[in-house]
Amino acid sequence: MSEPVWKKIREAAPLNAEGLLAGLDLDQSFPVDVEAVAQGMGIGIERTADDEDGCLVIEDGKATIKISERVAPVRQRFTIAHELGHLALGHEFERTIHRDVSPQRPWKVEREANAWAAQFLMPEDRVRVVAKALSSLEEMASYFNVSTDAMIYRLKDLGIID
């Protein structure tokens, strides 16, 4: 049995989000189909009724991202990208289950995974083009299928807005 794609990506760390997008040879359409990317990497997606946004479970070498059905679809997308970020960045987990709310997890690691997710869902070059072409924050967020909060953070991070 061959090694899962996610393990190969993890071994190639550090891998930035935009590098992963380019390496996947997607059709460059937006929003990024984050679930198809995860599944193409051999990572399962499972919807749950949990209150927690999501978590990454690794059992017997198989990775599964569990996502709460209770959160908005844009949040589900960001959470999937966040968990992909942990894998791509080579973050080590204390157990086979990674939960963002764990008090043992350093905030630095969570911020890195959030930044990776933002870069993956909203690549800089595309954000700069869209920011010039679209007139409202809501239109930009809709284009990338992210929350307006995520869009604001990304625009600030890129210095497009204050």
Side-chain angles (χ1 to χ4, degrees), residues 5-40:
V5 176
W6 70 264
K7 280 190 174 182
K8 292 177 185 171
I9 289 171
R10 189 173 189 180
E11 290 165 3
L15 181 65
N16 68 37
E18 293 174 15
L20 176 59
L21 280 174
L24 291 172
D25 195 32
L26 299 174
D27 62 5
Q28 298 302 311
S29 65
F30 283 85
V32 172
D33 188 344
V34 69
E35 288 192 44
V37 170
Q39 290 168 346

PDB file of all heavy atoms in Angstrom, residues 5-40:
ATOM      1  N   VAL A   5      -0.993  10.637   0.457  1.00  0.00           N
ATOM      2  CA  VAL A   5      -0.497  11.899  -0.099  1.00  0.00           C
ATOM      3  C   VAL A   5      -0.218  12.905   1.015  1.00  0.00           C
ATOM      4  O   VAL A   5       0.768  13.631   0.960  1.00  0.00           O
ATOM      5  CB  VAL A   5      -1.503  12.467  -1.124  1.00  0.00           C
ATOM      6  CG1 VAL A   5      -1.057  13.818  -1.632  1.00  0.00           C
ATOM      7  CG2 VAL A   5      -1.670  11.499  -2.285  1.00  0.00           C
ATOM      8  N   TRP A   6      -1.080  12.950   2.052  1.00  0.00           N
ATOM      9  CA  TRP A   6      -0.872  13.930   3.118  1.00  0.00           C
ATOM     10  C   TRP A   6       0.456  13.709   3.821  1.00  0.00           C
ATOM     11  O   TRP A   6       1.099  14.668   4.231  1.00  0.00           O
ATOM     12  CB  TRP A   6      -2.034  13.960   4.109  1.00  0.00           C
ATOM     13  CG  TRP A   6      -2.183  12.754   4.993  1.00  0.00           C
ATOM     14  CD1 TRP A   6      -2.998  11.678   4.788  1.00  0.00           C
ATOM     15  CD2 TRP A   6      -1.528  12.512   6.238  1.00  0.00           C
ATOM     16  NE1 TRP A   6      -2.873  10.781   5.809  1.00  0.00           N
ATOM     17  CE2 TRP A   6      -1.985  11.272   6.724  1.00  0.00           C
ATOM     18  CE3 TRP A   6      -0.595  13.223   6.988  1.00  0.00           C
ATOM     19  CZ2 TRP A   6      -1.542  10.721   7.917  1.00  0.00           C
ATOM     20  CZ3 TRP A   6      -0.150  12.671   8.179  1.00  0.00           C
ATOM     21  CH2 TRP A   6      -0.616  11.437   8.640  1.00  0.00           C
ATOM     22  N   LYS A   7       0.904  12.471   3.934  1.00  0.00           N
ATOM     23  CA  LYS A   7       2.202  12.216   4.556  1.00  0.00           C
ATOM     24  C   LYS A   7       3.334  12.735   3.687  1.00  0.00           C
ATOM     25  O   LYS A   7       4.317  13.279   4.175  1.00  0.00           O
ATOM     26  CB  LYS A   7       2.387  10.726   4.836  1.00  0.00           C
ATOM     27  CG  LYS A   7       1.687  10.258   6.075  1.00  0.00           C
ATOM     28  CD  LYS A   7       2.120   8.847   6.418  1.00  0.00           C
ATOM     29  CE  LYS A   7       1.534   8.439   7.751  1.00  0.00           C
ATOM     30  NZ  LYS A   7       1.966   7.093   8.137  1.00  0.00           N
ATOM     31  N   LYS A   8       3.201  12.557   2.373  1.00  0.00           N
ATOM     32  CA  LYS A   8       4.223  13.059   1.456  1.00  0.00           C
ATOM     33  C   LYS A   8       4.311  14.584   1.535  1.00  0.00           C
ATOM     34  O   LYS A   8       5.389  15.158   1.524  1.00  0.00           O
ATOM     35  CB  LYS A   8       3.916  12.612   0.031  1.00  0.00           C
ATOM     36  CG  LYS A   8       4.059  11.122  -0.169  1.00  0.00           C
ATOM     37  CD  LYS A   8       3.663  10.725  -1.577  1.00  0.00           C
ATOM     38  CE  LYS A   8       3.703   9.211  -1.703  1.00  0.00           C
ATOM     39  NZ  LYS A   8       3.144   8.750  -2.960  1.00  0.00           N
ATOM     40  N   ILE A   9       3.150  15.226   1.600  1.00  0.00           N
ATOM     41  CA  ILE A   9       3.126  16.689   1.709  1.00  0.00           C
ATOM     42  C   ILE A   9       3.752  17.131   3.022  1.00  0.00           C
ATOM     43  O   ILE A   9       4.544  18.061   3.067  1.00  0.00           O
ATOM     44  CB  ILE A   9       1.691  17.221   1.549  1.00  0.00           C
ATOM     45  CG1 ILE A   9       1.269  17.067   0.093  1.00  0.00           C
ATOM     46  CG2 ILE A   9       1.567  18.670   2.016  1.00  0.00           C
ATOM     47  CD1 ILE A   9      -0.171  17.348  -0.188  1.00  0.00           C
ATOM     48  N   ARG A  10       3.417  16.438   4.094  1.00  0.00           N
ATOM     49  CA  ARG A  10       3.966  16.780   5.403  1.00  0.00           C
ATOM     50  C   ARG A  10       5.483  16.636   5.417  1.00  0.00           C
ATOM     51  O   ARG A  10       6.190  17.443   6.000  1.00  0.00           O
ATOM     52  CB  ARG A  10       3.326  15.889   6.457  1.00  0.00           C
ATOM     53  CG  ARG A  10       3.651  16.298   7.846  1.00  0.00           C
ATOM     54  CD  ARG A  10       2.848  15.481   8.812  1.00  0.00           C
ATOM     55  NE  ARG A  10       3.020  16.020  10.139  1.00  0.00           N
ATOM     56  CZ  ARG A  10       2.452  15.537  11.193  1.00  0.00           C
ATOM     57  NH1 ARG A  10       1.661  14.500  11.091  1.00  0.00           N
ATOM     58  NH2 ARG A  10       2.660  16.072  12.359  1.00  0.00           N
ATOM     59  N   GLU A  11       5.991  15.607   4.765  1.00  0.00           N
ATOM     60  CA  GLU A  11       7.437  15.391   4.715  1.00  0.00           C
ATOM     61  C   GLU A  11       8.141  16.456   3.888  1.00  0.00           C
ATOM     62  O   GLU A  11       9.328  16.689   4.054  1.00  0.00           O
ATOM     63  CB  GLU A  11       7.733  13.993   4.167  1.00  0.00           C
ATOM     64  CG  GLU A  11       7.341  12.899   5.154  1.00  0.00           C
ATOM     65  CD  GLU A  11       7.284  11.520   4.527  1.00  0.00           C
ATOM     66  OE1 GLU A  11       7.604  11.379   3.326  1.00  0.00           O
ATOM     67  OE2 GLU A  11       6.906  10.586   5.258  1.00  0.00           O
ATOM     68  N   ALA A  12       7.426  17.102   2.988  1.00  0.00           N
ATOM     69  CA  ALA A  12       8.003  18.145   2.143  1.00  0.00           C
ATOM     70  C   ALA A  12       7.984  19.507   2.820  1.00  0.00           C
ATOM     71  O   ALA A  12       8.386  20.492   2.235  1.00  0.00           O
ATOM     72  CB  ALA A  12       7.254  18.220   0.817  1.00  0.00           C
ATOM     73  N   ALA A  13       7.517  19.572   4.079  1.00  0.00           N
ATOM     74  CA  ALA A  13       7.424  20.837   4.812  1.00  0.00           C
ATOM     75  C   ALA A  13       8.806  21.471   4.902  1.00  0.00           C
ATOM     76  O   ALA A  13       9.809  20.779   4.886  1.00  0.00           O
ATOM     77  CB  ALA A  13       6.834  20.604   6.191  1.00  0.00           C
ATOM     78  N   PRO A  14       8.941  22.788   4.983  1.00  0.00           N
ATOM     79  CA  PRO A  14       7.809  23.693   5.036  1.00  0.00           C
ATOM     80  C   PRO A  14       7.228  23.947   3.648  1.00  0.00           C
ATOM     81  O   PRO A  14       7.956  24.212   2.697  1.00  0.00           O
ATOM     82  CB  PRO A  14       8.397  24.971   5.618  1.00  0.00           C
ATOM     83  CG  PRO A  14       9.830  24.936   5.191  1.00  0.00           C
ATOM     84  CD  PRO A  14      10.220  23.475   5.121  1.00  0.00           C
ATOM     85  N   LEU A  15       5.958  23.797   3.560  1.00  0.00           N
ATOM     86  CA  LEU A  15       5.262  24.003   2.300  1.00  0.00           C
ATOM     87  C   LEU A  15       4.223  25.076   2.511  1.00  0.00           C
ATOM     88  O   LEU A  15       3.370  24.948   3.375  1.00  0.00           O
ATOM     89  CB  LEU A  15       4.587  22.702   1.861  1.00  0.00           C
ATOM     90  CG  LEU A  15       3.828  22.734   0.552  1.00  0.00           C
ATOM     91  CD1 LEU A  15       4.792  22.981  -0.608  1.00  0.00           C
ATOM     92  CD2 LEU A  15       3.101  21.434   0.337  1.00  0.00           C
ATOM     93  N   ASN A  16       4.324  26.142   1.749  1.00  0.00           N
ATOM     94  CA  ASN A  16       3.319  27.192   1.933  1.00  0.00           C
ATOM     95  C   ASN A  16       2.037  26.837   1.196  1.00  0.00           C
ATOM     96  O   ASN A  16       2.022  25.996   0.305  1.00  0.00           O
ATOM     97  CB  ASN A  16       3.863  28.570   1.524  1.00  0.00           C
ATOM     98  CG  ASN A  16       4.112  28.692   0.040  1.00  0.00           C
ATOM     99  OD1 ASN A  16       3.369  28.163  -0.776  1.00  0.00           O
ATOM    100  ND2 ASN A  16       5.157  29.403  -0.314  1.00  0.00           N
ATOM    101  N   ALA A  17       0.980  27.489   1.601  1.00  0.00           N
ATOM    102  CA  ALA A  17      -0.345  27.189   1.068  1.00  0.00           C
ATOM    103  C   ALA A  17      -0.432  27.449  -0.427  1.00  0.00           C
ATOM    104  O   ALA A  17      -1.011  26.669  -1.173  1.00  0.00           O
ATOM    105  CB  ALA A  17      -1.390  28.009   1.821  1.00  0.00           C
ATOM    106  N   GLU A  18       0.150  28.553  -0.855  1.00  0.00           N
ATOM    107  CA  GLU A  18       0.084  28.882  -2.277  1.00  0.00           C
ATOM    108  C   GLU A  18       0.905  27.896  -3.094  1.00  0.00           C
ATOM    109  O   GLU A  18       0.555  27.567  -4.219  1.00  0.00           O
ATOM    110  CB  GLU A  18       0.503  30.329  -2.495  1.00  0.00           C
ATOM    111  CG  GLU A  18      -0.520  31.284  -1.881  1.00  0.00           C
ATOM    112  CD  GLU A  18      -0.129  32.752  -1.926  1.00  0.00           C
ATOM    113  OE1 GLU A  18       0.790  33.121  -2.667  1.00  0.00           O
ATOM    114  OE2 GLU A  18      -0.776  33.530  -1.207  1.00  0.00           O
ATOM    115  N   GLY A  19       1.980  27.367  -2.499  1.00  0.00           N
ATOM    116  CA  GLY A  19       2.764  26.328  -3.164  1.00  0.00           C
ATOM    117  C   GLY A  19       1.962  25.053  -3.344  1.00  0.00           C
ATOM    118  O   GLY A  19       2.037  24.395  -4.375  1.00  0.00           O
ATOM    119  N   LEU A  20       1.167  24.719  -2.331  1.00  0.00           N
ATOM    120  CA  LEU A  20       0.312  23.545  -2.435  1.00  0.00           C
ATOM    121  C   LEU A  20      -0.723  23.741  -3.536  1.00  0.00           C
ATOM    122  O   LEU A  20      -0.937  22.857  -4.365  1.00  0.00           O
ATOM    123  CB  LEU A  20      -0.390  23.241  -1.108  1.00  0.00           C
ATOM    124  CG  LEU A  20      -1.388  22.077  -1.132  1.00  0.00           C
ATOM    125  CD1 LEU A  20      -0.717  20.781  -1.555  1.00  0.00           C
ATOM    126  CD2 LEU A  20      -2.054  21.926   0.222  1.00  0.00           C
ATOM    127  N   LEU A  21      -1.342  24.912  -3.582  1.00  0.00           N
ATOM    128  CA  LEU A  21      -2.325  25.187  -4.632  1.00  0.00           C
ATOM    129  C   LEU A  21      -1.706  25.035  -6.020  1.00  0.00           C
ATOM    130  O   LEU A  21      -2.280  24.417  -6.902  1.00  0.00           O
ATOM    131  CB  LEU A  21      -2.899  26.601  -4.484  1.00  0.00           C
ATOM    132  CG  LEU A  21      -3.982  26.799  -3.448  1.00  0.00           C
ATOM    133  CD1 LEU A  21      -4.340  28.278  -3.335  1.00  0.00           C
ATOM    134  CD2 LEU A  21      -5.211  25.976  -3.763  1.00  0.00           C
ATOM    135  N   ALA A  22      -0.519  25.605  -6.200  1.00  0.00           N
ATOM    136  CA  ALA A  22       0.155  25.519  -7.495  1.00  0.00           C
ATOM    137  C   ALA A  22       0.509  24.072  -7.820  1.00  0.00           C
ATOM    138  O   ALA A  22       0.343  23.626  -8.956  1.00  0.00           O
ATOM    139  CB  ALA A  22       1.412  26.387  -7.492  1.00  0.00           C
ATOM    140  N   GLY A  23       0.959  23.335  -6.827  1.00  0.00           N
ATOM    141  CA  GLY A  23       1.340  21.942  -7.036  1.00  0.00           C
ATOM    142  C   GLY A  23       0.169  21.032  -7.347  1.00  0.00           C
ATOM    143  O   GLY A  23       0.336  19.977  -7.949  1.00  0.00           O
ATOM    144  N   LEU A  24      -1.024  21.430  -6.941  1.00  0.00           N
ATOM    145  CA  LEU A  24      -2.207  20.613  -7.199  1.00  0.00           C
ATOM    146  C   LEU A  24      -2.723  20.788  -8.621  1.00  0.00           C
ATOM    147  O   LEU A  24      -3.583  20.050  -9.064  1.00  0.00           O
ATOM    148  CB  LEU A  24      -3.319  20.964  -6.203  1.00  0.00           C
ATOM    149  CG  LEU A  24      -3.053  20.541  -4.771  1.00  0.00           C
ATOM    150  CD1 LEU A  24      -4.122  21.110  -3.852  1.00  0.00           C
ATOM    151  CD2 LEU A  24      -2.995  19.029  -4.655  1.00  0.00           C
ATOM    152  N   ASP A  25      -2.200  21.789  -9.313  1.00  0.00           N
ATOM    153  CA  ASP A  25      -2.591  22.030 -10.699  1.00  0.00           C
ATOM    154  C   ASP A  25      -4.110  22.157 -10.836  1.00  0.00           C
ATOM    155  O   ASP A  25      -4.735  21.514 -11.682  1.00  0.00           O
ATOM    156  CB  ASP A  25      -2.050  20.928 -11.607  1.00  0.00           C
ATOM    157  CG  ASP A  25      -2.117  21.311 -13.079  1.00  0.00           C
ATOM    158  OD1 ASP A  25      -1.991  22.507 -13.378  1.00  0.00           O
ATOM    159  OD2 ASP A  25      -2.297  20.404 -13.918  1.00  0.00           O
ATOM    160  N   LEU A  26      -4.693  22.965  -9.954  1.00  0.00           N
ATOM    161  CA  LEU A  26      -6.131  23.207 -10.021  1.00  0.00           C
ATOM    162  C   LEU A  26      -6.436  24.098 -11.213  1.00  0.00           C
ATOM    163  O   LEU A  26      -5.560  24.724 -11.789  1.00  0.00           O
ATOM    164  CB  LEU A  26      -6.616  23.871  -8.726  1.00  0.00           C
ATOM    165  CG  LEU A  26      -6.413  23.058  -7.453  1.00  0.00           C
ATOM    166  CD1 LEU A  26      -6.787  23.880  -6.233  1.00  0.00           C
ATOM    167  CD2 LEU A  26      -7.220  21.782  -7.491  1.00  0.00           C
ATOM    168  N   ASP A  27      -7.695  24.193 -11.548  1.00  0.00           N
ATOM    169  CA  ASP A  27      -8.079  25.000 -12.704  1.00  0.00           C
ATOM    170  C   ASP A  27      -8.084  26.499 -12.396  1.00  0.00           C
ATOM    171  O   ASP A  27      -8.522  27.293 -13.201  1.00  0.00           O
ATOM    172  CB  ASP A  27      -9.437  24.564 -13.245  1.00  0.00           C
ATOM    173  CG  ASP A  27     -10.560  24.746 -12.221  1.00  0.00           C
ATOM    174  OD1 ASP A  27     -10.307  25.300 -11.128  1.00  0.00           O
ATOM    175  OD2 ASP A  27     -11.689  24.339 -12.525  1.00  0.00           O
ATOM    176  N   GLN A  28      -7.571  26.859 -11.220  1.00  0.00           N
ATOM    177  CA  GLN A  28      -7.470  28.249 -10.789  1.00  0.00           C
ATOM    178  C   GLN A  28      -8.826  28.931 -10.620  1.00  0.00           C
ATOM    179  O   GLN A  28      -8.924  30.151 -10.641  1.00  0.00           O
ATOM    180  CB  GLN A  28      -6.585  29.070 -11.736  1.00  0.00           C
ATOM    181  CG  GLN A  28      -5.155  28.580 -11.782  1.00  0.00           C
ATOM    182  CD  GLN A  28      -4.479  28.586 -10.424  1.00  0.00           C
ATOM    183  OE1 GLN A  28      -4.527  29.570  -9.708  1.00  0.00           O
ATOM    184  NE2 GLN A  28      -3.858  27.489 -10.050  1.00  0.00           N
ATOM    185  N   SER A  29      -9.889  28.159 -10.485  1.00  0.00           N
ATOM    186  CA  SER A  29     -11.188  28.754 -10.215  1.00  0.00           C
ATOM    187  C   SER A  29     -11.353  28.937  -8.713  1.00  0.00           C
ATOM    188  O   SER A  29     -10.747  28.226  -7.919  1.00  0.00           O
ATOM    189  CB  SER A  29     -12.308  27.882 -10.788  1.00  0.00           C
ATOM    190  OG  SER A  29     -12.349  26.640 -10.127  1.00  0.00           O
ATOM    191  N   PHE A  30     -12.144  29.893  -8.369  1.00  0.00           N
ATOM    192  CA  PHE A  30     -12.396  30.185  -6.960  1.00  0.00           C
ATOM    193  C   PHE A  30     -13.888  30.181  -6.727  1.00  0.00           C
ATOM    194  O   PHE A  30     -14.646  30.500  -7.643  1.00  0.00           O
ATOM    195  CB  PHE A  30     -11.778  31.546  -6.591  1.00  0.00           C
ATOM    196  CG  PHE A  30     -10.295  31.444  -6.424  1.00  0.00           C
ATOM    197  CD1 PHE A  30      -9.457  31.534  -7.512  1.00  0.00           C
ATOM    198  CD2 PHE A  30      -9.746  31.218  -5.177  1.00  0.00           C
ATOM    199  CE1 PHE A  30      -8.092  31.410  -7.376  1.00  0.00           C
ATOM    200  CE2 PHE A  30      -8.374  31.099  -5.027  1.00  0.00           C
ATOM    201  CZ  PHE A  30      -7.542  31.192  -6.122  1.00  0.00           C
ATOM    202  N   PRO A  31     -14.323  29.806  -5.556  1.00  0.00           N
ATOM    203  CA  PRO A  31     -13.520  29.463  -4.388  1.00  0.00           C
ATOM    204  C   PRO A  31     -12.848  28.094  -4.545  1.00  0.00           C
ATOM    205  O   PRO A  31     -13.321  27.235  -5.289  1.00  0.00           O
ATOM    206  CB  PRO A  31     -14.551  29.414  -3.255  1.00  0.00           C
ATOM    207  CG  PRO A  31     -15.842  29.112  -3.906  1.00  0.00           C
ATOM    208  CD  PRO A  31     -15.770  29.727  -5.285  1.00  0.00           C
ATOM    209  N   VAL A  32     -11.740  27.931  -3.825  1.00  0.00           N
ATOM    210  CA  VAL A  32     -11.025  26.657  -3.817  1.00  0.00           C
ATOM    211  C   VAL A  32     -11.961  25.590  -3.251  1.00  0.00           C
ATOM    212  O   VAL A  32     -12.620  25.812  -2.235  1.00  0.00           O
ATOM    213  CB  VAL A  32      -9.754  26.758  -2.930  1.00  0.00           C
ATOM    214  CG1 VAL A  32      -9.107  25.393  -2.750  1.00  0.00           C
ATOM    215  CG2 VAL A  32      -8.775  27.756  -3.518  1.00  0.00           C
ATOM    216  N   ASP A  33     -12.021  24.451  -3.906  1.00  0.00           N
ATOM    217  CA  ASP A  33     -12.823  23.325  -3.418  1.00  0.00           C
ATOM    218  C   ASP A  33     -11.989  22.583  -2.378  1.00  0.00           C
ATOM    219  O   ASP A  33     -11.334  21.588  -2.668  1.00  0.00           O
ATOM    220  CB  ASP A  33     -13.222  22.406  -4.576  1.00  0.00           C
ATOM    221  CG  ASP A  33     -14.207  21.328  -4.154  1.00  0.00           C
ATOM    222  OD1 ASP A  33     -14.356  21.075  -2.936  1.00  0.00           O
ATOM    223  OD2 ASP A  33     -14.819  20.720  -5.046  1.00  0.00           O
ATOM    224  N   VAL A  34     -12.022  23.092  -1.158  1.00  0.00           N
ATOM    225  CA  VAL A  34     -11.154  22.604  -0.097  1.00  0.00           C
ATOM    226  C   VAL A  34     -11.449  21.142   0.260  1.00  0.00           C
ATOM    227  O   VAL A  34     -10.536  20.390   0.590  1.00  0.00           O
ATOM    228  CB  VAL A  34     -11.220  23.544   1.128  1.00  0.00           C
ATOM    229  CG1 VAL A  34     -12.550  23.478   1.828  1.00  0.00           C
ATOM    230  CG2 VAL A  34     -10.106  23.256   2.100  1.00  0.00           C
ATOM    231  N   GLU A  35     -12.697  20.731   0.155  1.00  0.00           N
ATOM    232  CA  GLU A  35     -13.018  19.332   0.453  1.00  0.00           C
ATOM    233  C   GLU A  35     -12.435  18.405  -0.604  1.00  0.00           C
ATOM    234  O   GLU A  35     -11.904  17.334  -0.274  1.00  0.00           O
ATOM    235  CB  GLU A  35     -14.525  19.135   0.578  1.00  0.00           C
ATOM    236  CG  GLU A  35     -15.079  19.750   1.842  1.00  0.00           C
ATOM    237  CD  GLU A  35     -16.501  19.334   2.139  1.00  0.00           C
ATOM    238  OE1 GLU A  35     -16.809  18.131   2.003  1.00  0.00           O
ATOM    239  OE2 GLU A  35     -17.286  20.219   2.515  1.00  0.00           O
ATOM    240  N   ALA A  36     -12.504  18.794  -1.860  1.00  0.00           N
ATOM    241  CA  ALA A  36     -11.927  17.978  -2.927  1.00  0.00           C
ATOM    242  C   ALA A  36     -10.408  17.895  -2.770  1.00  0.00           C
ATOM    243  O   ALA A  36      -9.815  16.836  -3.006  1.00  0.00           O
ATOM    244  CB  ALA A  36     -12.294  18.543  -4.299  1.00  0.00           C
ATOM    245  N   VAL A  37      -9.784  18.986  -2.365  1.00  0.00           N
ATOM    246  CA  VAL A  37      -8.339  18.983  -2.140  1.00  0.00           C
ATOM    247  C   VAL A  37      -7.998  18.003  -1.021  1.00  0.00           C
ATOM    248  O   VAL A  37      -7.104  17.166  -1.166  1.00  0.00           O
ATOM    249  CB  VAL A  37      -7.815  20.404  -1.812  1.00  0.00           C
ATOM    250  CG1 VAL A  37      -6.371  20.356  -1.338  1.00  0.00           C
ATOM    251  CG2 VAL A  37      -7.961  21.308  -3.026  1.00  0.00           C
ATOM    252  N   ALA A  38      -8.709  18.099   0.098  1.00  0.00           N
ATOM    253  CA  ALA A  38      -8.446  17.200   1.228  1.00  0.00           C
ATOM    254  C   ALA A  38      -8.628  15.749   0.806  1.00  0.00           C
ATOM    255  O   ALA A  38      -7.766  14.898   1.077  1.00  0.00           O
ATOM    256  CB  ALA A  38      -9.363  17.542   2.405  1.00  0.00           C
ATOM    257  N   GLN A  39      -9.712  15.469   0.131  1.00  0.00           N
ATOM    258  CA  GLN A  39      -9.977  14.091  -0.284  1.00  0.00           C
ATOM    259  C   GLN A  39      -8.944  13.612  -1.296  1.00  0.00           C
ATOM    260  O   GLN A  39      -8.539  12.451  -1.267  1.00  0.00           O
ATOM    261  CB  GLN A  39     -11.403  13.968  -0.802  1.00  0.00           C
ATOM    262  CG  GLN A  39     -12.406  14.117   0.340  1.00  0.00           C
ATOM    263  CD  GLN A  39     -13.840  14.301  -0.107  1.00  0.00           C
ATOM    264  OE1 GLN A  39     -14.121  14.569  -1.270  1.00  0.00           O
ATOM    265  NE2 GLN A  39     -14.758  14.186   0.840  1.00  0.00           N
ATOM    266  N   GLY A  40      -8.486  14.511  -2.163  1.00  0.00           N
ATOM    267  CA  GLY A  40      -7.442  14.166  -3.116  1.00  0.00           C
ATOM    268  C   GLY A  40      -6.121  13.864  -2.442  1.00  0.00           C
ATOM    269  O   GLY A  40      -5.273  13.163  -3.000  1.00  0.00           O
TER     270      GLY A  40
END
